[in-house]
Amino acid sequence: MGMRYEETYKKILAPSPTSTDVIFLLSFYFILQARILALNASFFLKAGGHFVISIKANCIDSTVPAEAAFQSEVKKLQQEQFKPFEQVTLEPFERDHACVVGGYRMPKKQKAAT
């Protein structure tokens, strides 16, 4: 999905724009990665859908260690109703990159009746 073309994609996906199962966002040379994912998810991703985001630490904050930048982005994602399931660094293939996989607006688990 284009990070700034939500309206165009809404027309393509109409009449049910929030029916997408997975959103994948590559690392951009852009500080607003989590916000872009959140905007696209709110337009297109169904509740219980999944996301994959590749985060480049230097684009978030080049003055802190990579792990601190990753934690900052994960916290932003959690505030936007994302639930990260797994985070892995892409070392040794890509320096200061991480990939986060998770769910969006995940349904609450039902307690088993006893």
Side-chain angles (χ1 to χ4, degrees), residues 22-88:
V22 178
I23 290 181
F24 177 69
L25 184 70
L26 291 172
S27 61
F28 291 102
Y29 298 103
F30 202 58
I31 195 168
L32 300 174
Q33 293 178 53
R35 183 71 184 132
I36 291 167
L37 181 65
L39 283 172
N40 280 290
S42 71
F43 283 124
F44 306 112
L45 195 58
K46 67 181 180 182
H50 293 85
F51 72 93
V52 179
I53 183 171
S54 174
I55 302 168
K56 183 173 182 180
N58 289 344
C59 293
I60 305 306
D61 189 343
S62 61
T63 65
V64 300
E67 190 55 42
F70 299 148
Q71 287 177 353
S72 170
E73 285 301 283
V74 167
K75 186 175 183 179
K76 290 176 191 174
L77 292 172
Q78 290 169 330
Q79 292 170 347
E80 296 284 350
Q81 301 182 44
F82 291 97
K83 182 178 180 182
F85 299 149
E86 185 174 6
Q87 174 183 327
V88 295

